[in-house]
């Protein structure tokens, strides 16, 4: 070795000795690395200053002497050797392309270049160990900049046989995003991830998959929003993610595709993260398709059935979800799977025709959970209560219905005790059940408790409390609750709250104020239409907006009908025709308009059309009975059948009880005592009727 005035032997001897003594128990040096240095020495005839520092620094780093290694690495003037590194790498690629020796001698051998670039990487690792993350990221960026500019097409495969440059590159590409995250630079981390995945680094498939997974996790849970990627190589018409969620979903789907092609091993966490991403973005049916594409035995069959059932249920396809669950629960392998039993019971509870089946599933889950998880047992009792409530709507006798309602309330109360009154879903249904049984003081207590658990910021809780208060005829208090909710919520959430507020104003006789409130709703909906382009991913939001707009115009039409302002009512109805011309509510309101004009036959036709669209539309059943009674051409038995059907569907309908009482009084179908009972029920229900249904 040719001595130098700045010899390492004189400059760094003391620190080297100290670090060597301090790290005697550290890691043994890699003999392969020393062989690389010897190879470089043989090629060039001498080991220059930078190479010697790189070798010594690596030696100290391997022994665990981080500060000593960093001190050595910092003595390398990487800026001065960068042109040589670029030229050496580019010359090596050109030489391999020509498949012959070049007559020009490169300034550095490939082993020397590999040694120096590894020194830059180890410097970044040393800075990371010392928690100097920003400097570490800068050092790692320098390394990648050199390689990217020198090798735009990536490292040739033959490099791996000559030196460990590819290994250094793999580690640096992985390290840079982690350093940016540690330095609290989320945008730089996202750019580093995209750089790692979009540039031709010739990474192996396992390294690429690892980076894709880490990037997707960062996009999902970092809490920030990044700019969409600017892909210069993007083909026309191909998909470009618009936000973090879409980019994460794209990455996770790519990983699932690699698993299906058996290029990488099965990783359950990939499906977990994709499930979360698609759940919050409304893509549950897409998730179902991806799960179905998985190869057999990749995932447990029972777990797959449960995931698919959850996806279809969340996507609104209850029928498919229930069939999957029935098939799973009827198998002899695991017919007592608690999550499947609970989900099956919940799905059945949403359909009165299947409610009795849901009760069976809930009882099985409760039996399975005895003396196990108390919270899950509470959830099972809550699901049982839901199934019992749904089943009560199909029961014919009053005595049986009262018993079922009592059992449902007991189930909800048991659920509350088992969950220590901390489960908001249980509390919400406790409030609903008590409200429907007209135990309004208890319902107010549970509604307030629900809002307390939710931090007072949920629209569902505020609207439920307002409805219960309106049933107590505390309209001012109910309006105050709605006003507070309006202040605490975003503009796009004001529609439902304002509709409830308008009905409270009508109940107080403030018709002009109610009309102004409905006008505010229509203004909000108009702004929403201009602000959002409702694509497939926003279909559910668009349906909700159209439903709210339809209800608002129909409420306005009902107000004008009561005020005998026929033209205004007709204008409102004409607005609804473009939204949903075959809506049962729209046809019913048209019937009210004709009925108020005295056009009973036309009104009866509208009510019949409404029942043809929805045979369970209670207001149309009641109004049909009223019109038939006024016309007087139908037998009382037909009128009574309409009213009893309405009461079967809604036992709390005061108008149905009142008209049934009139029929008993006038038609001779019932006794005076029965008529009195009907009138009494109508009075009690009218006194506790909310401005909107509790459910």
């Amino acid at each position: 070795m040719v001595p130098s005035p700045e010899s390492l032997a004189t400059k760094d001897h003391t620190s080297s000795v100290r670090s060597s003594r301090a790290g005697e128990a550290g890691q043994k040096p890699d003999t392969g690395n020393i062989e690389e240095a010897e190879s470089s020495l043989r090629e060039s005839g001498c080991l220059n200053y930078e190479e010697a520092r790189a070798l010594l620094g690596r030696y100290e780093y391997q022994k665990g002497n981080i500060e000593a290694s960093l001190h050595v690495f910092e003595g390398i003037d990487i800026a001065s050797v960068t042109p040589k590194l670029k030229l050496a790498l580019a010359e090596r690629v050109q030489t391999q392309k020509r498949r012959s020796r070049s007559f020009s001698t490169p300034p550095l051998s490939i082993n020397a270049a590999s040694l120096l670039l590894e020194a830059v990487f180890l410097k970044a690792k040393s800075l990371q160990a010392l928690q100097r993350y920003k400097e570490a990221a800068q050092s790692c960026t320098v390394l990648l900049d050199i390689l990217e500019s020198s090798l735009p097409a990536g490292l040739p495969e033959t490099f791996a046989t000559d030196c460990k440059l590819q290994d250094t590159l793999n580690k640096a590409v992985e390290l840079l995003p982690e350093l940016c995250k540690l330095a609290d630079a989320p945008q730089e981390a996202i750019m580093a991830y995209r750089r790692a995945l979009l540039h031709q680094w010739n990474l192996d498939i396992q390294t690429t998959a690892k980076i894709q997974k880490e990037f997707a996790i960062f996009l999902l849970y970092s809490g920030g929003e990044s700019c969409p990627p600017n892909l210069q190589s993007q083909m026309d018409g191909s998909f470009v993610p618009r936000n973090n969620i879409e980019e994460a979903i794209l990455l996770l789907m790519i990983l699932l595709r690699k698993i299906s092609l058996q290029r990488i091993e099965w990783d359950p966490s990939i499906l977990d993260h994709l499930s979360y991403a698609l759940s919050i973005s409304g893509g549950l049916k897409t998730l179902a398709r991806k799960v179905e594409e998985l190869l057999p035995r990749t995932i447990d069959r029972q777990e797959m059935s449960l995931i698919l059932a959850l996806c279809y249920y969340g996507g609104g396809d209850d029928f498919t979800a229930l069939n999957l669950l029935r098939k799973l629960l009827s198998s002899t392998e695991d017919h007592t799977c608690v999550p499947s039993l609970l989900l099956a019971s919940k799905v059945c509870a949403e359909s009165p025709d299947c409610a009795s089946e849901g009760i069976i599933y809930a009882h099985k889950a409760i039996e399975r959970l005895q003396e196990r998880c108390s919270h899950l047992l509470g959830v099972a009792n809550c699901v049982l209560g839901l199934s019992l409530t749904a089943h009560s709507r199909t029961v014919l006798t009053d005595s049986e219905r009262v018993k079922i309602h009592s059992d449902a309330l007991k189930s909800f109360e048991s659920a509350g005790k088992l969950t220590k009154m901390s489960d908001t879903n249980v509390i919400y249904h406790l409030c609903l059940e008590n409200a429907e049984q007209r135990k309004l003081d208890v319902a107010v207590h549970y509604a307030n408790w629900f809002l307390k658990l939710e931090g007072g910021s949920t629209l569902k809780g505020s609207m439920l409390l307002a409805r219960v208060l309106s049933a107590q005829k505390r309209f001012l208090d109910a309006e105050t609750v709605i006003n507070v909710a309006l202040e605490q919520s975003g503009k796009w959430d004001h529609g439902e709250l304002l509709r409830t507020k308008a009905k409270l104003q009508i109940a107080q006789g403030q018709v002009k104020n109610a009309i102004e409130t409905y006008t505010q709703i229509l203004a909000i909906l108009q702004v929403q239409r201009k602000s959002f382009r409702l694509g497939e991913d926003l279909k559910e939001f668009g349906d909700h907006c159209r439903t709210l707009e339809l209800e608002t115009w129909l409420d306005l039409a009902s107000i004008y009908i009561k005020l005998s302002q026929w033209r205004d009512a007709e204008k409102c109805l004409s607005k609804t025709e473009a939204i949903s011309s075959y809506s049962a509510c729209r046809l019913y309101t048209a019937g009210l308009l004709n009925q108020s004009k005295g056009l009973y036959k036309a009104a009866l036709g509208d009510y019949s059309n409404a029942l043809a669209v929805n045979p369970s539309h209670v207001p149309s059943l009641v109004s049909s009975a009223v019109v038939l009674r006024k016309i007087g051409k139908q037998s009382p038995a037909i009128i009574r059948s309409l009213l009893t059907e309405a009461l079967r569907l809604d036992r709390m309908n005061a108008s149905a009880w009142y008209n049934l009482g009139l029929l008993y009084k006038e038609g001779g179908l019932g006794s005076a005592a029965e008529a009195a009972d009907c009138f009494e029920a109508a009075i009690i229900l009218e006194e506790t009727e909310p401005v909107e249904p509790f459910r």
Side-chain angles (χ1 to χ4, degrees):
M1 185 181 295
V2 180
S4 168
E6 293 183 303
S7 173
L8 287 173
T10 58
K11 190 170 183 179
D12 291 325
H13 174 72
T14 306
S15 62
S16 175
V17 171
R18 287 176 184 167
S19 62
S20 297
R21 289 175 180 173
E24 285 178 358
Q27 180 181 351
K28 291 183 179 181
D30 185 356
T31 57
N33 295 337
I34 296 175
E35 288 173 1
E36 274 187 37
E38 290 176 352
S39 176
S40 176
L41 182 59
R42 284 194 301 271
E43 289 178 9
S44 61
C46 66
L47 194 66
N48 65 24
Y49 177 74
E50 284 79 12
E51 294 172 48
R53 273 193 172 272
L55 182 60
L56 180 60
R58 181 169 63 185
Y59 181 79
E60 295 291 348
Y61 180 83
Q62 288 174 343
K63 293 199 303 177
N65 303 323
I66 303 301
E67 292 185 2
S69 65
L70 182 60
H71 179 68
V72 177
F73 288 137
E74 285 178 338
I76 301 174
D77 186 3
I78 194 65
S80 65
V81 298
T82 295
K84 298 178 183 178
L85 287 168
K86 291 182 178 179
L87 188 59
L89 292 170
E91 180 67 23
R92 178 57 178 267
V93 173
Q94 291 300 323
T95 301
Q96 291 186 341
K97 284 183 178 179
R98 290 193 296 266
R99 298 180 180 273
S100 64
R101 288 283 181 180
S102 175
F103 292 103
S104 61
T105 304
L108 286 174
S109 69
I110 193 61
N111 282 316
S114 175
L115 183 65
L116 289 171
L117 289 170
E118 186 192 23
V120 179
F121 172 72
L122 292 178
K123 179 183 176 182
K125 291 291 291 183
S126 301
L127 289 165
Q128 179 189 16
L130 296 172
Q131 299 184 4
R132 293 160 63 178
Y133 304 122
K134 189 174 182 180
E135 297 172 64
Q138 291 171 351
S139 180
C140 205
T141 303
V142 169
L143 170 60
L144 294 180
D145 286 344
I146 293 172
L147 290 169
E148 186 173 11
S149 59
S150 306
L151 306 167
L155 281 174
E157 294 181 1
T158 54
F159 269 45
T161 60
D162 296 338
C163 63
K164 57 185 301 183
L165 188 55
Q166 183 68 59
D167 183 55
T168 302
L169 173 60
N170 289 359
K171 293 177 181 177
V173 169
E174 282 189 70
L175 180 63
L176 182 56
E178 296 300 321
L179 293 173
C180 292
K181 290 190 287 185
L182 291 170
D184 195 21
Q187 293 302 320
E188 287 78 0
I190 289 173
M191 292 174 63
Y193 275 122
R194 288 175 179 164
R195 182 182 187 181
L197 295 173
L198 295 176
H199 187 70
Q200 297 294 330
W201 300 112
N202 290 341
L203 304 175
D204 63 88
I205 193 167
Q206 299 298 332
T207 302
T208 303
K210 183 179 178 183
I211 294 171
Q212 288 172 331
K213 178 184 172 183
E214 293 299 325
F215 187 21
I217 291 171
F218 184 72
L219 289 169
L220 284 175
Y221 311 113
S222 63
E225 188 64 43
S226 66
C227 298
N230 183 15
L231 306 180
Q232 296 179 355
S233 60
Q234 191 73 34
M235 297 175 62
D236 293 337
S238 55
F239 174 75
V240 179
R242 294 171 294 180
N243 50 48
N244 282 18
I245 303 298
E246 287 189 359
E247 193 168 0
I249 290 171
L250 178 61
L251 289 165
L252 293 166
M253 284 186 173
I254 291 171
L255 288 170
L256 271 189
R257 181 66 176 164
K258 289 179 179 178
I259 292 171
S260 297
L261 296 173
Q262 297 183 325
R263 293 179 181 175
I264 59 175
E265 295 293 327
W266 164 244
D267 183 355
S269 65
I270 293 174
L271 186 59
D272 293 339
H273 295 305
L274 182 61
S275 300
Y276 169 74
L278 289 172
S279 296
I280 62 177
S281 58
L284 288 172
K285 289 189 176 179
T286 302
L287 176 61
R289 289 197 297 271
K290 291 300 172 185
V291 172
E292 289 169 346
E293 288 173 4
L294 292 174
L295 292 173
R297 299 178 184 175
T298 301
I299 184 173
D300 181 72
R301 188 183 64 83
Q302 296 171 9
E303 183 182 357
M304 177 181 283
S305 297
L306 180 57
I307 292 173
L308 290 174
L310 284 165
C311 290
Y312 285 115
Y313 174 68
D317 191 351
D318 295 0
F319 179 76
T320 303
L322 186 56
N323 280 340
L324 280 167
L325 291 167
R326 284 169 175 165
K327 185 177 180 181
L328 174 61
L329 293 170
S330 63
S331 66
T332 56
E333 296 176 10
D334 190 3
H335 58 277
T336 57
C337 176
V338 172
S340 301
L341 289 169
L342 293 177
L343 180 58
S345 181
K346 182 174 173 58
V347 175
C348 290
E350 296 179 7
S351 174
D353 295 335
C354 301
S356 58
E357 186 181 356
I359 294 171
I360 296 171
Y361 291 138
H363 278 302
K364 285 183 179 179
I366 291 171
E367 291 173 7
R368 181 75 172 170
L369 288 166
Q370 289 300 329
E371 300 180 359
R372 290 177 62 186
C373 176
S374 60
H375 187 89
L376 200 55
L377 184 59
V379 173
N381 275 278
C382 180
V383 172
L384 175 60
L386 292 174
S387 296
L388 287 168
T389 301
H391 182 55
S392 68
R393 302 189 191 109
T394 62
V395 175
L396 297 177
T397 63
D398 289 337
S399 59
E400 192 175 356
R401 186 179 296 108
V402 169
K403 182 183 182 302
I404 292 175
H405 275 296
S406 176
D407 292 342
L409 190 56
K410 288 178 182 177
S411 296
F412 287 127
E413 289 172 348
S414 297
K417 292 176 182 177
L418 288 165
T419 57
K420 299 180 180 179
M421 302 299 289
S422 61
D423 191 314
T424 54
N425 187 53
V426 173
I427 302 302
Y428 182 81
H429 287 293
L430 263 172
C431 177
L432 267 180
E433 191 62 32
N434 279 283
E436 289 196 333
Q437 296 189 30
R438 296 304 192 264
K439 299 176 182 179
L440 299 178
D441 291 335
V442 180
V444 168
H445 167 73
Y446 284 125
N448 283 317
W449 185 251
F450 176 82
L451 283 173
K452 183 180 179 181
L453 289 176
E454 291 283 354
S457 58
T458 59
L459 303 184
K460 184 170 73 169
S462 298
M463 291 177 66
L464 180 58
L465 177 58
R467 289 167 182 170
V468 177
L469 290 172
S470 71
Q472 292 182 318
K473 308 308 176 188
R474 296 164 58 182
F475 300 120
L476 285 175
D477 292 340
E479 192 171 352
T480 301
V481 171
I482 295 297
N483 288 333
V484 171
L486 286 168
E487 292 174 1
Q488 294 178 344
S489 60
K491 194 74 173 177
W492 292 161
D493 296 325
H494 284 184
E496 294 287 349
L497 292 168
L498 287 171
R499 185 166 181 248
T500 303
K501 182 178 179 178
K503 292 190 174 184
L504 289 168
Q505 290 169 333
I506 292 171
Q508 298 173 76
Q510 302 170 4
V511 179
K512 290 185 178 178
N513 292 341
I515 293 174
E516 291 177 3
T517 304
Y518 280 123
T519 305
Q520 291 180 41
I521 299 173
L522 294 172
I524 291 172
L525 292 171
Q526 187 175 8
V527 173
Q528 285 179 331
R529 275 197 301 272
K530 292 180 179 179
S531 301
F532 295 102
R533 288 180 299 177
L534 302 176
E536 185 65 28
D537 55 336
L538 294 175
K539 184 177 182 301
E540 185 177 351
F541 178 76
D543 292 342
H544 172 75
C545 290
R546 284 190 291 272
T547 300
L548 180 59
E549 184 178 6
L550 175 68
E551 292 171 343
T552 301
W553 284 116
L554 293 179
D555 287 348
L556 280 170
S558 298
I559 291 174
Y560 291 130
I561 288 171
K562 291 178 181 178
L563 295 174
S564 299
Q565 298 180 15
W566 316 130
R567 287 188 178 180
D568 292 332
E570 288 170 355
K571 287 179 181 178
C572 292
L573 281 171
S574 66
K575 295 285 186 180
T576 64
E577 189 171 0
I579 303 170
S580 179
S581 57
Y582 294 103
S583 164
C585 293
R586 179 187 177 278
L587 294 167
Y588 165 73
T589 306
L592 288 180
L593 177 60
N594 284 319
Q595 184 179 341
S596 62
K597 290 180 179 180
L599 305 173
Y600 295 125
K601 288 185 178 180
L604 189 59
D606 290 327
Y607 296 143
S608 298
N609 291 333
L611 290 171
V613 174
N614 181 10
S616 300
H617 194 250
V618 174
S620 295
L621 288 169
V622 176
S623 296
S624 296
V626 171
V627 171
L628 288 173
R629 193 171 59 83
K630 287 186 176 181
I631 293 175
K633 291 184 179 180
Q634 291 291 340
S635 67
I638 294 176
I639 300 173
R640 183 177 62 178
S641 67
L642 290 169
L643 294 172
T644 52
E645 175 63 13
L647 289 172
R648 187 188 70 81
L649 295 168
D650 182 11
R651 298 293 294 180
M652 300 298 178
N653 192 295
S655 179
W657 283 110
Y658 173 72
N659 283 284
L660 186 60
L662 290 177
L663 184 66
Y664 284 158
K665 179 184 176 183
E666 298 171 1
L669 290 176
S671 63
E674 288 177 319
D677 290 340
C678 290
F679 290 136
E680 185 179 2
I683 291 171
I684 294 172
L685 291 172
E686 191 175 14
E687 288 176 350
T688 57
E689 187 175 11
V691 294
E692 289 180 312
F694 294 118
R695 292 187 189 274

